[in-house]
Amino acid sequence: MVELKTDTSIEAMYEAGQVVGRALTAVQKAAAVGVSLLELDEVARGVLREAGASSPFLGYRPSFASTPFPAVICASVNDAIVHGIPTDYRLRDGDLVSIDCGAQLGGWAGDSAISFTVGRPRPADVRLIETAEQALAAGIAAAVVGNRIGDIAHAIGTVCRGGGYGIMDDFGGHGIGRRMHEDPPVPNEGRPGRGLALRHGMVLAIEPMLIAGGTDEYHAAPDGWTLKTNDGSRAAHTEHTVAITDAGPRVLTAR
């Protein structure tokens, strides 16, 4: 069931989204060669604490997970696409890092992700990240009243496939509100004009995930959480929480 949010609720979700934005900005600023993923998680925890927010990631255990998630960010490096668990791994020159973060504030959730490089970037990684950001922008532009979920999916998929990149079939965006994951699912590829009609008050987490090698195949790492590319190629992940309004899409996690 899809819950339509009131304008007041969207304002409250904006406050949660801004906490997420601040956390991601702080994490990216702290990320440098020699810094561990656990240290980045501590940076995000500090931002959440300061805002009086909690983490919808910490302790989260969906049906596919054998253990609860132990951190407030997902930190996915190089061939890890999403859901990377922060460890004592220390960042190296040229690493491609994707950070996903959420916040729960005043009973409402925000969710967003960024990808960036540490140290000297590889040109191929720069192009991959830029394409992920373009795919996100295209998905947001399609998130207008009167369109359908398939229009968002088609916009994202067109950019991703046009760049020669792979897309995970089983993972994509989602509704968001009082809980981090709500209906409806928002695929990263689809047919325009199909699916649920977009209405004022719907709030969606739109999140392209790109595989550099061009294949769609991935696997779960032994930790049961991290999803990695089968071909060892790098991946990028971008995400914003977006409200569908009569005035157009409103990005609630804008940084």
Side-chain angles (χ1 to χ4, degrees), residues 19 22 28-29 40 45 69 91 108 143 188 210 222 225-226:
V19 175
R22 291 197 297 273
Q28 183 173 4
K29 184 177 180 181
L40 296 183
R45 288 174 188 253
F69 196 76
L91 295 172
W108 297 98
N188 285 327
L210 282 63
W225 274 98
T226 309

Side-chain angles (χ1 to χ4, degrees), residues 3-7 9-10 13 108 176-177 182 201-203:
E3 177 191 6
L4 297 180
K5 281 71 177 179
T6 66
D7 292 346
S9 297
I10 290 173
M13 291 191 70
W108 297 98
I176 183 171
E182 296 183 352
M202 292 175 64
V203 183

Side-chain angles (χ1 to χ4, degrees), residues 41-243:
D41 188 66
E42 282 299 324
V43 169
R45 288 174 188 253
V47 174
L48 295 181
R49 278 195 303 270
E50 184 178 353
S54 60
S55 169
F57 289 19
L58 186 63
Y60 182 59
R61 187 179 179 182
S63 58
F64 66 80
S66 59
T67 59
F69 196 76
V72 304
I73 62 170
C74 297
S76 307
V77 180
N78 296 333
D79 64 336
I81 310 166
V82 289
H83 301 165
I85 295 176
T87 65
D88 58 4
Y89 173 84
R90 295 192 175 276
L91 295 172
R92 301 171 183 172
D93 186 47
D95 277 347
L96 193 165
V97 184
S98 297
I99 302 292
D100 194 355
C101 184
Q104 197 89 24
L105 183 69
W108 297 98
D111 189 10
S112 185
I114 54 173
S115 289
F116 55 86
T117 57
V118 175
R120 293 168 292 184
R122 301 181 182 184
D125 290 344
V126 172
R127 179 175 173 270
L128 175 65
I129 293 169
E130 288 177 347
T131 305
E133 292 172 345
Q134 290 164 7
L136 177 59
I140 292 170
V144 297
V145 172
N147 270 0
R148 294 180 176 272
I149 292 291
D151 294 303
I152 298 175
H154 179 70
I156 293 170
T158 298
V159 174
C160 295
R161 296 299 188 192
Y165 299 118
I167 301 169
M168 292 196 299
D169 287 336
D170 302 326
F171 288 86
H174 49 88
I176 183 171
R178 298 182 186 278
R179 293 176 290 111
M180 180 172 59
H181 290 141
E182 296 183 352
D183 289 332
V186 185
N188 285 327
E189 191 168 33
R191 297 176 64 183
R194 298 297 183 92
L196 188 69
L198 304 181
R199 298 171 58 189
H200 179 91
M202 292 175 64
V203 183
L204 308 174
I206 300 173
E207 52 178 322
M209 308 167 199
L210 282 63
I211 299 173
T215 72
D216 299 348
E217 298 173 352
Y218 64 93
H219 64 277
D223 63 23
W225 274 98
T226 309
L227 301 180
K228 307 184 77 171
T229 63
N230 275 9
D231 61 4
S233 66
R234 295 190 169 196
H237 176 205
T238 56
E239 178 184 18
H240 271 310
T241 296
V242 181

